């Protein structure tokens, strides 16, 4: 059973994040890593939980847009810090290409997936937000990844997601693809069932289970 992050540590982290204190936030993360807290726990109970909280505060006008942006940028850097600090010598020889669909600007979830995979021994190429479909196709063609991860949060972009999956599958029918993001939440992922080897992953627990079943260490 993985170690849990104490509530007091989370509250301390959240306060420092709201204050924009990157150095203090980084120190908290490094302390947790030194205590052998799993990267999944850090991602879900620190990064994800705090950003959900800040999102709620923004909706209630208790956090400014600028404050939310600062918190996001700090979290992005800490994801890199946590994944790098957790890297071992267990390179599994597999490559994952992680991207967002065209016109998708929220990349924090995709960054977390990339960092999580790296902690599990994967090599990753993180393309990021708002990437044209043709560029993603070119990367898949050039790099021949074992896994392609696509993030899509806005429902209005689902047609771009489906178009991208179709394009990849036409050229590489056996390409393994995982999809994440809120756009397909609440049972809206049925559109993916028509494609072979395309899976909707709702959270890091789901990703961990998926990796254990499809890519056991």
């Amino acid at each position: 059973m993985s170690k849990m992050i104490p509530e007091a540590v989370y509250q301390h982290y959240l306060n420092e994040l709201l204050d924009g204190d990157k150095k203090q936030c980084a120190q908290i993360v490094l302390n947790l890593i030194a205590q052998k807290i799993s990267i999944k726990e850090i991602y879900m109970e620190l990064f994800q939980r705090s950003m959900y909280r800040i999102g709620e505060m923004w909706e209630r006008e208790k956090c400014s847009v600028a404050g939310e942006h600062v918190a996001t940028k700090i979290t992005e850097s800490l994801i890199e810090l946590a994944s790098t600090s957790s890297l071992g010598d267990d390179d599994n020889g597999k490559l994952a290409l992680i991207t967002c669909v065209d016109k998708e600007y929220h990349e924090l979830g995709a960054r977390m997936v990339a960092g999580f995979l790296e902690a599990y021994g994967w090599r990753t190429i993180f393309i990021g937000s708002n990437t044209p479909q043709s560029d993603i196709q070119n990367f898949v063609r050039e790099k021949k990844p074992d896994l392609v991860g696509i993030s899509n949060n806005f429902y209005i972009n689902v047609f771009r997601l489906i178009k991208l999956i179709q394009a990849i599958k036409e050229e590489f029918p056996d390409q393994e693809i995982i999809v994440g993001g809120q756009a397909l939440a609440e049972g809206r992922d049925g559109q993916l069932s028509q494609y072979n080897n395309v899976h909707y992953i709702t959270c890091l627990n789901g990703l961990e289970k998926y990796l254990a079943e499809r890519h056991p260490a």
Side-chain angles (χ1 to χ4, degrees), residues 25-133:
C25 288
Q27 190 58 57
I28 292 169
V29 170
L30 290 173
N31 288 343
L32 291 171
I33 291 172
Q35 294 166 30
K36 306 300 182 183
I37 301 294
S38 72
I39 192 166
K40 183 182 76 169
E41 211 67 45
I42 293 172
Y43 278 19
M44 294 186 69
E45 297 302 322
L46 209 64
F47 300 158
Q48 183 172 285
R49 185 182 175 193
S50 62
M51 288 307 299
Y52 278 166
R53 176 62 177 155
I54 289 172
E56 292 170 357
M57 293 174 68
W58 175 80
E59 288 176 357
R60 297 202 306 268
E61 298 183 349
K62 292 186 176 181
C63 177
S64 67
V65 172
E68 190 272 339
H69 285 180
V70 169
T72 298
K73 291 302 180 183
I74 290 176
T75 304
E76 288 176 352
S77 69
L78 295 178
I79 289 170
E80 185 74 21
L81 172 67
S83 62
T84 302
S85 300
S86 301
L87 291 178
D89 298 322
D90 54 343
D91 185 341
N92 65 13
K94 295 178 181 179
L95 174 66
L97 182 70
I98 309 298
T99 187
C100 299
V101 295
D102 192 16
K103 309 304 181 189
E104 176 65 60
Y105 296 93
H106 288 74
E107 63 179 34
L108 194 58
R111 280 187 180 274
M112 289 180 67
V113 168
F116 193 78
L117 287 169
E118 288 170 5
Y120 273 70
W122 289 67
R123 291 176 295 116
T124 68
I125 297 175
F126 180 75
I127 301 179
S129 64
N130 190 30
T131 305
Q133 176 182 311

